[in-house]
Amino acid sequence: MPSDQQAVAPPADYEGLREGGTYGLAAGVLGILGGLLSAHFRAAGYAVSVVSTLLFLLALRRLSRAIGEPRLFTYGAYLVAVGAGGGLAALLLVDYAVAVGAVGRGSAVVGLLTFIYAVVVALGYLFRRVYLLLSEGVAAPAPDASDMFEEAATLYWIGALLTAVLVGAFFMLAGAVYAVRGFGELRRAQPPAAAGREGSGAAQPGPT
């Protein structure tokens, strides 16, 4: 006769959640810092962004194992590929336009801006997929983090769509902040038993 324990889902990998949260938190903070540095110190901003990207992939790799969702890392890899490939293609197109003297032509400018917008929308979609998968995967062990990732997914997608009217960057920055907060919550994820012991210990009255 099978025991009742066989019907119970395996416990969440809380150590993996905390480890992935640590990597993700570092990646998010460095990503925001890299974006700010790029405005005045391009080389430094680029270097920080590369480190942030590697940490982000490491976080998704660890979290995909912790929640048993391999698509999480797959979408993350697509995200990095589209970002790197799209950025490189945009730079090459700009260099080509300058070389052939097409920068002043309206059609060339419109074509370049359309390509950049398409890349940004693709990135927004992939960010949305990543954070929705994270939100679903950590809903039971870390509900606060799940809410943060859901907000991040929405803000990234809205920001990507609104990039054409120049306000999308603010939504995407807000999405990055929510993602950082979500990773921060994951760093504090604890099994229910451990959380209960901490709560009961804090609530115990002292000796009379």
Side-chain angles (χ1 to χ4, degrees), residues 7 12 18 31 64 136 138 145 202:
R18 291 192 296 270
S64 68
E136 295 169 4
V138 304

Side-chain angles (χ1 to χ4, degrees), residues 31-134:
I32 295 173
L33 179 61
L36 295 175
L37 283 174
S38 297
H40 301 288
F41 307 99
R42 184 170 300 179
Y46 176 76
V48 172
S49 296
V50 169
V51 175
S52 170
T53 299
L54 294 176
L55 287 173
F56 183 67
L57 283 176
L58 189 59
L60 295 185
R61 180 69 171 175
R62 190 66 182 91
L63 289 171
S64 68
R65 293 176 176 176
I67 65 176
E69 178 53 88
R71 292 179 300 169
L72 180 60
F73 181 74
T74 300
Y75 277 115
Y78 290 159
L79 181 60
V80 173
V82 170
L88 179 59
L91 290 176
L92 292 176
L93 286 174
V94 170
D95 289 342
Y96 176 76
V98 172
V100 300
V103 175
R105 299 177 187 172
S107 59
V109 174
V110 170
L112 179 61
L113 292 178
T114 301
F115 174 79
I116 293 174
Y117 179 71
V119 171
V120 172
V121 170
L123 291 174
Y125 171 79
L126 291 170
F127 268 119
R128 179 174 178 268
R129 292 301 303 155
V130 164
Y131 287 123
L132 284 179
L133 285 173
L134 264 179

Side-chain angles (χ1 to χ4, degrees), residues 124-125 127-128 131-132 147-163 167-179 181:
Y125 171 79
F127 268 119
R128 179 174 178 268
Y131 287 123
L132 284 179
D147 292 340
M148 297 295 177
F149 289 135
E150 186 175 1
E151 288 291 336
T154 301
L155 289 167
Y156 265 110
W157 182 232
I158 294 175
L161 294 177
L162 294 180
T163 301
V167 297
F170 295 102
F171 282 92
M172 297 187 83
L173 177 61
V177 171
Y178 269 97
R181 293 176 62 188

